[in-house]
Every structure is written in structure tokens, then in C-alpha cells.
Amino acid sequence: MITALGVEVKVRRQELALSQEDLAGRCELDRPYITMIEGARKQPTISVLQRLAEALELSLGEFCQRVDDRYRTELQAAGDAVHLGESRS
């Protein structure tokens, strides 16, 4: 799930043509913290998620739904890869 969160932050930031520095400024965080979130090395608190969502011009609900959708897609892809590997054996 943390990987899906990081990817979604990066994808949405790029959709808005924001640099990591721009996003950090919008949500009053340090740029290295944004880098760690995008790299799945930090797990933000709910208050930070709220600030990120607002900075990414989404409601917290919309943002969480996007992360959940991405997570489910990643799970499906991982499952497909496992099944593909089994069929080759």
C-alpha cells in the first residue's frame, strides 16, 4: 500500500506539473520528505495525507480512492505475474 501511495503522489504531482519543491511548499513539508514518500520510504500520518491531498487539489476521499485503486491494480498485476510463472513450469 505504501508503494501505491508514493506512486500516486508522484503521478498526481506530475499531472499538475509540480516539482517536489512546489508540492512541499504547498503542504508545508520539506522536499526530502516528499522524496521519501514518493520512494515508499516514509509512511505519512493522516494529517500529512490531508495536507498532501489538498496540495494535490483532491479531497482526502478522492486521494485515498486513487491510492486504493492503484494498490488493487498492483495486486492484480502481481497475481497475474504469479499465475503466468506457474503456467510456464
Side-chain angles (χ1 to χ4, degrees):
M1 180 64 84
I2 191 71
T3 301
L5 172 70
V7 170
E8 192 56 43
V9 169
K10 184 175 184 175
V11 166
R12 181 62 178 164
R13 175 178 62 77
Q14 291 174 338
E15 286 174 358
L16 297 172
L18 297 172
S19 68
Q20 287 182 337
E21 192 72 36
D22 294 334
L23 179 58
R26 282 185 174 201
C27 51
E28 299 178 359
L29 297 168
D30 295 331
R31 188 209 42 81
Y33 191 68
I34 300 296
T35 301
M36 288 188 285
I37 290 171
E38 289 184 0
R41 294 186 311 270
K42 275 291 184 189
Q43 193 164 356
T45 63
I46 192 73
S47 61
V48 170
L49 287 175
Q50 176 67 45
R51 289 162 45 191
L52 279 168
E54 289 175 4
L56 294 169
E57 301 176 9
L58 298 167
S59 71
L60 182 57
E62 290 170 318
F63 180 62
C64 289
Q65 186 61 58
R66 288 174 67 137
V67 172
D68 188 59
D69 291 346
R70 185 170 298 281
Y71 177 67
R72 291 176 188 281
T73 300
E74 289 173 1
L75 279 180
Q76 179 66 42
D80 291 347
V82 167
H83 293 302
L84 181 61
E86 289 172 358
S87 67
R88 290 184 179 169
S89 300

